[in-house]
Amino acid sequence: MPTSNTTQSVTWEELLDSIATGAAHPDDTNWKIYRYLQNNYKTIGSVTARTLLAAYMKLHVKRMSLIDSCMLGMAVKISETYGDFKLPKFLEAWGYDSCLRAQDLQRQTGKDGRQYLSLKERVERALQSYRLHHPEECKGECDGVVSMYAAKVFEKEANGRKRRYVKLVATNGSELIADSHQFPCRPWEISGRMFDVLTRVSKQGNERVSDIVASRKRVDEVFSVEVGFVEFIDESHGHIHVYDSQSRHFVAEKSVQTASKISVGNYVRFCPIIANGDHFKSAAIVGVMDKYEGRKAFGIYEAKVEYANAKDRYIRYSIESAIRYTPEGNIIKAGFASTAALPEDVRNGMGQGCHVRLILFLKRGKDGMKHNYVAEVF
């Protein structure tokens, strides 16, 4: 019976003797290699494990057999244990998947009554994990691997214990929550970075994070880039509030990289990070723009001064440009704007009929409604 082959133990000396004469009894030697690996693959190290697999492959004949299925399963385990084992090359030499048996395609039921993945499913999962950790070997996108942005790290209490979780968002708006322990860095280094994420679907049909590695892709290689205006920096919460020309409000996390580079009034290139069904919009700031280029890219409104008050430093304006659509509401043609930031001689020389340029978007006021907000007059 095959069962005895898979359960008998073998010593290192017995294994070496069998390998030395393996050509005379290939199946018996391969079973000895399998039994030794089964008992020791976690402790013998990568080099020895790979050497024994190579010894097996010298005796291997591409066929459908129990020993070959067992060794394929062992290769999966070795791949999960040692990152330097090249699983795709092994599978190519082994004959995957033309040599799979019918049993290898079927899920197995254990003694506990639970269903377990088929050998083919386990191989496919191991391949996905390998590609996640070896992106340089992937041509184009890798199945099952999604590049996602870590938008937020937050704490939740469960069973009296606080745990940190991370909100991940993909370019299509899909969102996943992962435990901070799944990341290859410390919790305070997670937010604002790109990660490649391997997902699994649970028995309940829910998509979950299986494995995570730091992505080699920049955020602006994955997400679209917009131009925004920095309206406010909340030092107490470490948030940078950014508006785009469509009056959408975004919040970026203030990181070590952005802390000294970004000020209120800056124009920035940023990637909108918007999860499906979430009213909160995150921003990944890519860089600060030159003011004049930023104004032009953001969009300038031409306006006429209807009334100017130099003493109280404000004007009443009337927009003469075509008013752009905004999903946040309607920009009205006339309104008031502060001139406090202008040089005194410019402010004093401003009167009815003068023409000005405005950087303008909608912003929520104290009444809870969105109104014209003039960020700059020039």
Side-chain angles (χ1 to χ4, degrees):
M1 292 289 291
T3 307
S4 61
N5 282 331
T6 60
T7 55
Q8 293 172 2
S9 61
V10 59
T11 66
W12 178 249
E13 289 73 19
E14 290 172 334
L15 179 61
L16 292 181
D17 289 343
S18 185
I19 291 175
T21 57
H25 39 77
D27 276 3
D28 182 63
T29 298
N30 282 339
W31 276 115
K32 283 184 168 65
I33 293 172
Y34 172 75
R35 293 198 300 269
Y36 189 85
L37 284 171
Q38 186 181 39
N39 293 325
N40 302 288
Y41 77 93
K42 289 184 179 180
T43 58
I44 58 178
S46 174
V47 173
T48 303
R50 288 185 284 120
T51 300
L52 292 178
L53 281 180
Y56 154 73
M57 288 304 300
K58 285 183 180 179
L59 303 173
H60 168 65
V61 178
K62 292 182 180 180
R63 59 182 176 173
M64 297 179 183
S65 68
L66 177 59
I67 177 56
D68 292 315
S69 294
C70 288
M71 288 301 293
L72 177 59
M74 180 54 61
V76 168
K77 292 180 179 179
I78 290 171
S79 175
E80 292 169 345
T81 305
Y82 303 110
D84 57 354
F85 173 55
K86 296 189 178 297
L87 179 62
K89 287 189 175 180
F90 175 87
L91 295 178
E92 184 181 354
W94 186 90
Y96 183 79
D97 53 2
S98 61
C99 296
L100 290 172
R101 302 177 304 145
Q103 299 94 313
D104 300 333
L105 310 179
Q106 300 167 359
R107 292 197 170 190
Q108 305 297 315
T109 303
K111 294 179 181 179
D112 54 4
R114 294 173 59 188
Q115 262 207 344
Y116 292 88
L117 295 177
S118 67
L119 177 58
K120 182 176 174 62
E121 288 173 315
R122 287 165 50 211
V123 172
E124 293 300 327
R125 283 196 173 190
L127 263 176
Q128 286 181 326
S129 181
Y130 180 89
R131 289 166 182 154
L132 175 73
H133 290 272
H134 301 83
E136 70 282 356
E137 296 184 28
C138 288
K139 295 179 180 178
E141 297 297 321
C142 298
D143 291 341
V145 178
V146 184
S147 296
M148 305 186 80
Y149 181 79
K152 182 182 180 183
V153 178
F154 60 95
E155 283 189 347
K156 279 181 73 175
E157 190 169 320
N159 301 321
R161 233 177 115 191
K162 285 186 178 179
R163 297 184 68 176
R164 290 190 183 97
Y165 295 91
V166 182
K167 174 183 171 181
L168 293 159
V169 182
T171 186
N172 64 357
S174 61
E175 175 186 333
L176 291 171
I177 303 298
D179 193 306
S180 65
H181 290 101
Q182 293 179 273
F183 288 78
C185 53
R186 293 167 291 191
W188 52 89
E189 297 173 332
I190 295 172
S191 185
R193 294 177 60 185
M194 290 293 300
F195 294 91
D196 291 333
V197 181
L198 181 61
T199 63
R200 304 273 188 242
V201 177
S202 68
K203 291 181 180 179
Q204 294 75 30
N206 300 318
E207 192 175 28
R208 293 180 177 174
V209 174
S210 172
D211 200 0
I212 301 173
V213 298
S215 180
R216 298 183 182 185
K217 298 175 184 176
R218 301 190 314 269
V219 63
D220 55 342
E221 292 178 312
V222 179
F223 291 85
S224 61
V225 179
E226 305 283 346
V227 175
F229 178 84
V230 177
E231 185 270 332
F232 177 64
I233 297 179
D234 184 350
E235 299 289 353
S236 60
H237 294 95
H239 291 162
I240 300 171
H241 293 260
V242 178
Y243 284 82
D244 70 0
S245 59
Q246 298 180 64
S247 300
R248 296 182 300 175
H249 178 203
F250 297 85
V251 177
E253 297 286 335
K254 190 174 182 182
S255 64
V256 175
Q257 291 77 17
T258 61
S260 60
K261 298 178 183 177
I262 298 177
S263 305
V264 172
N266 282 160
Y267 292 90
V268 294
R269 293 174 66 249
F270 76 99
C271 296
I273 313 293
I274 307 173
N276 295 330
D278 193 342
H279 295 297
F280 186 86
K281 299 177 180 68
S282 298
I285 295 177
V286 178
V288 179
M289 302 180 70
D290 171 80
K291 177 181 280 191
Y292 300 100
E293 289 297 321
R295 284 172 175 171
K296 184 178 178 181
F298 189 90
I300 298 168
Y301 278 106
E302 302 286 345
K304 184 171 71 173
V305 177
E306 300 291 350
Y307 171 77
N309 188 321
K311 180 182 176 183
D312 294 329
R313 298 185 293 185
Y314 72 88
I315 60 170
R316 187 176 190 275
Y317 63 84
S318 177
I319 297 175
E320 295 186 327
S321 305
I323 295 177
R324 296 186 294 271
Y325 163 79
T326 164
E328 303 297 314
N330 297 317
I331 291 173
I332 60 175
K333 188 172 183 179
F336 294 90
S338 171
T339 57
L342 292 173
E344 187 176 356
D345 59 333
V346 176
R347 185 169 58 246
N348 291 337
M350 194 173 289
Q352 185 178 5
C354 289
H355 284 81
V356 292
R357 291 180 166 188
L358 309 176
I359 298 297
L360 181 150
F361 48 85
L362 293 174
K363 182 182 173 184
R364 195 176 303 280
K366 292 180 181 179
D367 59 0
M369 304 295 291
K370 291 200 170 183
H371 305 279
N372 284 21
Y373 175 81
V374 178
E376 275 197 285
V377 179
F378 57 99

